[in-house]
Short mmCIF file of all heavy atoms in Angstrom, two decimals:
data_model
loop_
_atom_site.label_atom_id
_atom_site.label_comp_id
_atom_site.label_asym_id
_atom_site.label_seq_id
_atom_site.Cartn_x
_atom_site.Cartn_y
_atom_site.Cartn_z
N LEU A 1 152.04 86.25 63.97
CA LEU A 1 153.37 86.39 64.55
C LEU A 1 153.35 87.27 65.79
O LEU A 1 154.02 86.98 66.79
CB LEU A 1 154.34 86.96 63.51
CG LEU A 1 154.72 86.03 62.35
CD1 LEU A 1 155.56 86.78 61.32
CD2 LEU A 1 155.48 84.81 62.87
N LEU A 2 152.57 88.34 65.73
CA LEU A 2 152.49 89.25 66.88
C LEU A 2 151.83 88.57 68.06
O LEU A 2 152.30 88.65 69.19
CB LEU A 2 151.71 90.51 66.49
CG LEU A 2 151.56 91.57 67.60
CD1 LEU A 2 152.94 92.06 68.04
CD2 LEU A 2 150.70 92.72 67.12
N ILE A 3 150.72 87.86 67.80
CA ILE A 3 149.98 87.20 68.88
C ILE A 3 150.83 86.10 69.52
O ILE A 3 150.92 85.99 70.74
CB ILE A 3 148.66 86.61 68.35
CG1 ILE A 3 147.72 87.75 67.95
CG2 ILE A 3 148.01 85.72 69.40
CD1 ILE A 3 146.48 87.27 67.23
N THR A 4 151.47 85.28 68.69
CA THR A 4 152.20 84.14 69.21
C THR A 4 153.56 84.51 69.79
O THR A 4 154.17 83.70 70.47
CB THR A 4 152.42 83.08 68.11
OG1 THR A 4 153.10 83.68 67.01
CG2 THR A 4 151.09 82.53 67.63
N ASN A 5 154.02 85.72 69.54
CA ASN A 5 155.33 86.11 70.05
C ASN A 5 155.29 87.34 70.95
O ASN A 5 156.33 87.91 71.27
CB ASN A 5 156.29 86.38 68.88
CG ASN A 5 156.64 85.13 68.11
OD1 ASN A 5 157.47 84.34 68.54
ND2 ASN A 5 155.99 84.93 66.97
N ALA A 6 154.09 87.73 71.37
CA ALA A 6 153.98 88.92 72.22
C ALA A 6 154.74 88.74 73.52
O ALA A 6 155.45 89.65 73.98
CB ALA A 6 152.50 89.21 72.49
N ASN A 7 154.62 87.57 74.14
CA ASN A 7 155.32 87.31 75.39
C ASN A 7 156.84 87.35 75.18
O ASN A 7 157.57 87.97 75.96
CB ASN A 7 154.90 85.94 75.93
CG ASN A 7 155.57 85.62 77.25
OD1 ASN A 7 155.28 86.22 78.27
ND2 ASN A 7 156.46 84.64 77.23
N ALA A 8 157.31 86.72 74.09
CA ALA A 8 158.74 86.72 73.81
C ALA A 8 159.25 88.13 73.53
O ALA A 8 160.34 88.50 73.98
CB ALA A 8 159.03 85.81 72.60
N LEU A 9 158.46 88.91 72.80
CA LEU A 9 158.88 90.29 72.52
C LEU A 9 159.02 91.09 73.81
O LEU A 9 159.92 91.92 73.96
CB LEU A 9 157.87 90.95 71.59
CG LEU A 9 157.86 90.45 70.14
CD1 LEU A 9 156.70 91.08 69.37
CD2 LEU A 9 159.18 90.76 69.45
N GLY A 10 158.11 90.84 74.75
CA GLY A 10 158.20 91.53 76.04
C GLY A 10 159.48 91.19 76.78
O GLY A 10 160.15 92.08 77.32
N TRP A 11 159.86 89.92 76.78
CA TRP A 11 161.10 89.53 77.47
C TRP A 11 162.33 90.02 76.71
O TRP A 11 163.35 90.31 77.31
CB TRP A 11 161.14 88.02 77.65
CG TRP A 11 160.14 87.51 78.63
CD1 TRP A 11 159.18 86.56 78.41
CD2 TRP A 11 159.96 87.95 79.98
NE1 TRP A 11 158.43 86.37 79.54
CE2 TRP A 11 158.89 87.20 80.52
CE3 TRP A 11 160.61 88.88 80.78
CZ2 TRP A 11 158.44 87.38 81.83
CZ3 TRP A 11 160.16 89.05 82.09
CH2 TRP A 11 159.10 88.31 82.60
N MET A 12 162.23 90.11 75.39
CA MET A 12 163.35 90.67 74.63
C MET A 12 163.56 92.13 74.98
O MET A 12 164.71 92.59 75.13
CB MET A 12 163.07 90.54 73.12
CG MET A 12 163.17 89.12 72.59
SD MET A 12 162.85 89.05 70.80
CE MET A 12 162.75 87.28 70.56
N LEU A 13 162.47 92.87 75.15
CA LEU A 13 162.60 94.26 75.56
C LEU A 13 163.19 94.36 76.96
O LEU A 13 163.99 95.26 77.25
CB LEU A 13 161.22 94.94 75.50
CG LEU A 13 160.64 95.16 74.11
CD1 LEU A 13 159.23 95.73 74.21
CD2 LEU A 13 161.53 96.09 73.29
N SER A 14 162.79 93.43 77.83
CA SER A 14 163.38 93.40 79.17
C SER A 14 164.87 93.12 79.11
O SER A 14 165.67 93.75 79.82
CB SER A 14 162.67 92.33 80.02
OG SER A 14 163.26 92.22 81.30
N ALA A 15 165.26 92.19 78.23
CA ALA A 15 166.69 91.88 78.07
C ALA A 15 167.44 93.07 77.51
O ALA A 15 168.56 93.38 77.96
CB ALA A 15 166.85 90.68 77.15
N LEU A 16 166.84 93.77 76.55
CA LEU A 16 167.48 94.96 75.99
C LEU A 16 167.64 96.04 77.05
O LEU A 16 168.69 96.69 77.13
CB LEU A 16 166.64 95.49 74.82
CG LEU A 16 167.15 96.76 74.14
CD1 LEU A 16 168.54 96.53 73.55
CD2 LEU A 16 166.17 97.22 73.07
N SER A 17 166.64 96.21 77.87
CA SER A 17 166.71 97.20 78.95
C SER A 17 167.84 96.87 79.92
O SER A 17 168.61 97.74 80.33
CB SER A 17 165.37 97.25 79.69
OG SER A 17 165.44 98.11 80.81
N ARG A 18 167.97 95.58 80.27
CA ARG A 18 169.07 95.16 81.15
C ARG A 18 170.41 95.43 80.51
O ARG A 18 171.36 95.88 81.16
CB ARG A 18 168.96 93.67 81.47
CG ARG A 18 167.95 93.31 82.52
CD ARG A 18 168.13 91.87 82.96
NE ARG A 18 169.41 91.68 83.64
CZ ARG A 18 169.86 90.49 84.05
NH1 ARG A 18 169.16 89.40 83.81
NH2 ARG A 18 171.01 90.39 84.66
N THR A 19 170.52 95.12 79.23
CA THR A 19 171.78 95.32 78.52
C THR A 19 172.20 96.79 78.55
O THR A 19 173.37 97.10 78.77
CB THR A 19 171.65 94.84 77.07
OG1 THR A 19 171.29 93.46 77.05
CG2 THR A 19 172.97 95.02 76.32
N ILE A 20 171.24 97.67 78.33
CA ILE A 20 171.55 99.11 78.33
C ILE A 20 171.99 99.56 79.72
O ILE A 20 172.97 100.30 79.88
CB ILE A 20 170.32 99.91 77.86
CG1 ILE A 20 170.04 99.60 76.38
CG2 ILE A 20 170.54 101.40 78.06
CD1 ILE A 20 168.75 100.20 75.87
N ARG A 21 171.28 99.08 80.75
CA ARG A 21 171.62 99.49 82.11
C ARG A 21 172.98 98.97 82.54
O ARG A 21 173.69 99.62 83.30
CB ARG A 21 170.56 98.97 83.09
CG ARG A 21 169.21 99.62 82.97
CD ARG A 21 168.36 99.35 84.21
NE ARG A 21 168.35 97.95 84.59
CZ ARG A 21 167.44 97.07 84.17
NH1 ARG A 21 166.49 97.46 83.33
NH2 ARG A 21 167.48 95.82 84.57
N GLU A 22 173.34 97.79 82.04
CA GLU A 22 174.55 97.14 82.51
C GLU A 22 175.70 97.19 81.51
O GLU A 22 176.65 96.43 81.59
CB GLU A 22 174.22 95.67 82.84
CG GLU A 22 173.15 95.54 83.92
CD GLU A 22 172.48 94.18 83.93
OE1 GLU A 22 172.89 93.33 83.12
OE2 GLU A 22 171.56 93.98 84.73
N ARG A 23 175.61 98.10 80.55
CA ARG A 23 176.59 98.13 79.46
C ARG A 23 178.00 98.45 79.94
O ARG A 23 178.97 98.19 79.23
CB ARG A 23 176.17 99.15 78.42
CG ARG A 23 176.15 100.59 78.89
CD ARG A 23 175.56 101.54 77.85
NE ARG A 23 175.56 102.92 78.27
CZ ARG A 23 174.67 103.47 79.06
NH1 ARG A 23 173.68 102.72 79.53
NH2 ARG A 23 174.74 104.73 79.41
N ARG A 24 178.14 99.03 81.12
CA ARG A 24 179.46 99.42 81.60
C ARG A 24 180.15 98.32 82.40
O ARG A 24 181.28 98.50 82.84
CB ARG A 24 179.35 100.68 82.46
CG ARG A 24 178.88 101.90 81.69
CD ARG A 24 178.85 103.12 82.59
NE ARG A 24 178.39 104.30 81.86
CZ ARG A 24 179.18 105.07 81.14
NH1 ARG A 24 180.47 104.79 81.06
NH2 ARG A 24 178.69 106.11 80.50
N THR A 25 179.46 97.20 82.63
CA THR A 25 180.06 96.16 83.45
C THR A 25 179.82 94.79 82.82
O THR A 25 178.82 94.58 82.16
CB THR A 25 179.51 96.18 84.88
OG1 THR A 25 180.09 95.13 85.63
CG2 THR A 25 178.01 96.02 84.89
N ARG A 26 180.70 93.86 83.07
CA ARG A 26 180.55 92.51 82.52
C ARG A 26 179.55 91.70 83.34
O ARG A 26 178.83 90.88 82.81
CB ARG A 26 181.90 91.80 82.51
CG ARG A 26 181.83 90.39 81.89
CD ARG A 26 183.22 89.82 81.69
NE ARG A 26 183.15 88.52 81.04
CZ ARG A 26 183.07 87.37 81.67
NH1 ARG A 26 183.02 87.35 82.98
NH2 ARG A 26 183.01 86.23 81.01
N LEU A 27 179.54 91.93 84.65
CA LEU A 27 178.63 91.19 85.50
C LEU A 27 177.28 91.89 85.56
O LEU A 27 177.21 93.11 85.61
CB LEU A 27 179.21 91.05 86.91
CG LEU A 27 180.50 90.22 86.98
CD1 LEU A 27 180.99 90.16 88.42
CD2 LEU A 27 180.28 88.82 86.45
N SER A 28 176.23 91.09 85.60
CA SER A 28 174.91 91.66 85.42
C SER A 28 174.22 92.10 86.69
O SER A 28 173.25 92.83 86.63
CB SER A 28 174.00 90.63 84.74
OG SER A 28 173.81 89.54 85.59
N GLN A 29 174.68 91.69 87.85
CA GLN A 29 173.91 91.98 89.06
C GLN A 29 174.66 92.89 90.02
O GLN A 29 174.34 92.96 91.20
CB GLN A 29 173.58 90.65 89.77
CG GLN A 29 172.85 89.65 88.89
CD GLN A 29 171.45 90.11 88.57
OE1 GLN A 29 170.93 91.00 89.22
NE2 GLN A 29 170.84 89.52 87.57
N LEU A 30 175.70 93.60 89.57
CA LEU A 30 176.43 94.49 90.47
C LEU A 30 175.56 95.70 90.80
O LEU A 30 174.67 96.09 90.07
CB LEU A 30 177.74 94.93 89.82
CG LEU A 30 178.73 93.80 89.55
CD1 LEU A 30 180.02 94.37 89.01
CD2 LEU A 30 179.01 92.98 90.79
N GLY A 31 175.86 96.33 91.91
CA GLY A 31 175.08 97.46 92.36
C GLY A 31 173.75 97.07 92.96
O GLY A 31 172.75 97.72 92.74
N PRO A 32 173.67 95.98 93.77
CA PRO A 32 172.41 95.56 94.34
C PRO A 32 171.98 96.47 95.49
O PRO A 32 172.77 97.23 96.02
CB PRO A 32 172.71 94.15 94.86
CG PRO A 32 174.17 94.19 95.18
CD PRO A 32 174.78 95.10 94.16
N ARG A 33 170.75 96.34 95.85
CA ARG A 33 170.24 97.15 96.95
C ARG A 33 170.79 96.68 98.29
O ARG A 33 171.04 97.47 99.18
CB ARG A 33 168.70 97.08 96.96
CG ARG A 33 168.08 97.63 95.68
CD ARG A 33 166.59 97.37 95.65
NE ARG A 33 165.99 97.77 94.38
CZ ARG A 33 164.74 97.53 94.05
NH1 ARG A 33 163.95 96.88 94.88
NH2 ARG A 33 164.26 97.93 92.90
N ARG A 34 170.91 95.38 98.46
CA ARG A 34 171.41 94.82 99.71
C ARG A 34 172.67 94.03 99.42
O ARG A 34 172.63 93.01 98.74
CB ARG A 34 170.34 93.91 100.34
CG ARG A 34 169.04 94.63 100.67
CD ARG A 34 167.95 93.66 101.03
NE ARG A 34 168.34 92.78 102.11
CZ ARG A 34 167.70 91.65 102.43
NH1 ARG A 34 166.69 91.26 101.71
NH2 ARG A 34 168.10 90.91 103.45
N LEU A 35 173.79 94.48 99.92
CA LEU A 35 175.06 93.84 99.65
C LEU A 35 175.33 92.69 100.61
O LEU A 35 174.95 92.74 101.77
CB LEU A 35 176.19 94.86 99.73
CG LEU A 35 176.20 95.96 98.67
CD1 LEU A 35 177.35 96.92 98.94
CD2 LEU A 35 176.32 95.36 97.28
N ALA A 36 175.96 91.67 100.09
CA ALA A 36 176.37 90.53 100.90
C ALA A 36 177.81 90.18 100.53
O ALA A 36 178.32 90.58 99.48
CB ALA A 36 175.45 89.34 100.67
N ARG A 37 178.45 89.41 101.37
CA ARG A 37 179.81 88.99 101.09
C ARG A 37 179.81 87.93 99.99
O ARG A 37 178.96 87.04 99.96
CB ARG A 37 180.43 88.41 102.37
CG ARG A 37 181.89 87.99 102.24
CD ARG A 37 182.38 87.40 103.55
NE ARG A 37 181.59 86.22 103.92
CZ ARG A 37 181.85 85.00 103.44
NH1 ARG A 37 182.84 84.80 102.59
NH2 ARG A 37 181.11 83.98 103.83
N ILE A 38 180.77 88.04 99.08
CA ILE A 38 180.89 87.05 98.01
C ILE A 38 181.45 85.76 98.60
O ILE A 38 182.50 85.77 99.25
CB ILE A 38 181.81 87.55 96.88
CG1 ILE A 38 181.24 88.82 96.26
CG2 ILE A 38 181.98 86.47 95.82
CD1 ILE A 38 182.14 89.43 95.21
N PRO A 39 180.78 84.62 98.41
CA PRO A 39 181.32 83.35 98.93
C PRO A 39 182.66 83.02 98.31
O PRO A 39 182.89 83.27 97.11
CB PRO A 39 180.25 82.33 98.53
CG PRO A 39 179.02 83.13 98.23
CD PRO A 39 179.50 84.44 97.72
N GLY A 40 183.57 82.48 99.10
CA GLY A 40 184.85 82.02 98.57
C GLY A 40 184.72 80.62 98.00
O GLY A 40 183.77 79.89 98.30
N ARG A 41 185.69 80.22 97.19
CA ARG A 41 185.62 78.89 96.58
C ARG A 41 185.65 77.78 97.62
O ARG A 41 185.08 76.71 97.40
CB ARG A 41 186.77 78.72 95.59
CG ARG A 41 186.71 79.67 94.40
CD ARG A 41 187.74 79.30 93.37
NE ARG A 41 187.74 80.24 92.25
CZ ARG A 41 188.03 79.91 91.00
NH1 ARG A 41 188.37 78.67 90.71
NH2 ARG A 41 188.02 80.82 90.05
N GLY A 42 186.31 78.02 98.73
CA GLY A 42 186.35 77.01 99.79
C GLY A 42 185.01 76.78 100.44
O GLY A 42 184.81 75.77 101.13
N GLU A 43 184.07 77.70 100.22
CA GLU A 43 182.73 77.57 100.80
C GLU A 43 181.74 76.97 99.82
O GLU A 43 180.54 76.95 100.08
CB GLU A 43 182.23 78.95 101.24
CG GLU A 43 183.10 79.63 102.28
CD GLU A 43 182.71 81.07 102.49
OE1 GLU A 43 183.17 81.94 101.71
OE2 GLU A 43 181.92 81.33 103.42
N VAL A 44 182.24 76.49 98.69
CA VAL A 44 181.39 75.92 97.65
C VAL A 44 181.62 74.41 97.55
O VAL A 44 182.76 73.96 97.43
CB VAL A 44 181.66 76.56 96.28
CG1 VAL A 44 180.79 75.93 95.19
CG2 VAL A 44 181.44 78.07 96.33
N ALA A 45 180.55 73.65 97.61
CA ALA A 45 180.60 72.21 97.37
C ALA A 45 180.03 71.93 95.99
O ALA A 45 179.05 72.57 95.57
CB ALA A 45 179.81 71.45 98.42
N ILE A 46 180.62 70.99 95.28
CA ILE A 46 180.10 70.57 93.98
C ILE A 46 179.61 69.14 94.11
O ILE A 46 180.37 68.24 94.46
CB ILE A 46 181.18 70.67 92.88
CG1 ILE A 46 181.61 72.13 92.70
CG2 ILE A 46 180.65 70.10 91.57
CD1 ILE A 46 182.66 72.33 91.63
N LEU A 47 178.31 68.96 93.86
CA LEU A 47 177.68 67.64 93.98
C LEU A 47 177.29 67.14 92.59
O LEU A 47 176.52 67.79 91.88
CB LEU A 47 176.44 67.74 94.88
CG LEU A 47 175.61 66.46 95.02
CD1 LEU A 47 176.45 65.30 95.57
CD2 LEU A 47 174.38 66.71 95.90
N ILE A 48 177.82 65.98 92.24
CA ILE A 48 177.57 65.37 90.93
C ILE A 48 176.73 64.12 91.12
O ILE A 48 177.17 63.18 91.79
CB ILE A 48 178.89 65.01 90.22
CG1 ILE A 48 179.81 66.23 90.12
CG2 ILE A 48 178.63 64.42 88.85
CD1 ILE A 48 181.24 65.89 89.72
#
C-alpha cells in the first residue's frame, strides 16, 4: 500500500498544505505574486 500509493500520499499532503494556507478564503489562487485584471464576462467566448 505504501509503495503503490506513495505518489498519491505526496499529492494529498500538497492538497492539505494548500487547504491550510487558503482556509480564510473560498478562492484558491488569491494573493498571487503578479496581479492581472480579472477578465469580464463580455471578454469570454464559449465554444461548444
Side-chain angles (χ1 to χ4, degrees):
L1 289 174
L2 181 60
I3 292 171
T4 57
N5 291 282
N7 181 69
L9 290 173
W11 291 124
M12 288 181 190
L13 291 175
S14 176
L16 178 61
S17 175
R18 281 192 66 185
T19 301
I20 293 173
R21 291 196 311 269
E22 300 160 3
R23 64 187 182 279
R24 295 182 180 275
T25 178
R26 183 170 183 269
L27 296 180
S28 65
Q29 305 291 345
L30 297 184
R33 298 172 186 173
R34 300 169 56 196
L35 293 177
R37 183 182 60 84
I38 299 176
R41 295 190 183 212
E43 300 170 276
V44 179
I46 297 181
L47 176 58
I48 305 167

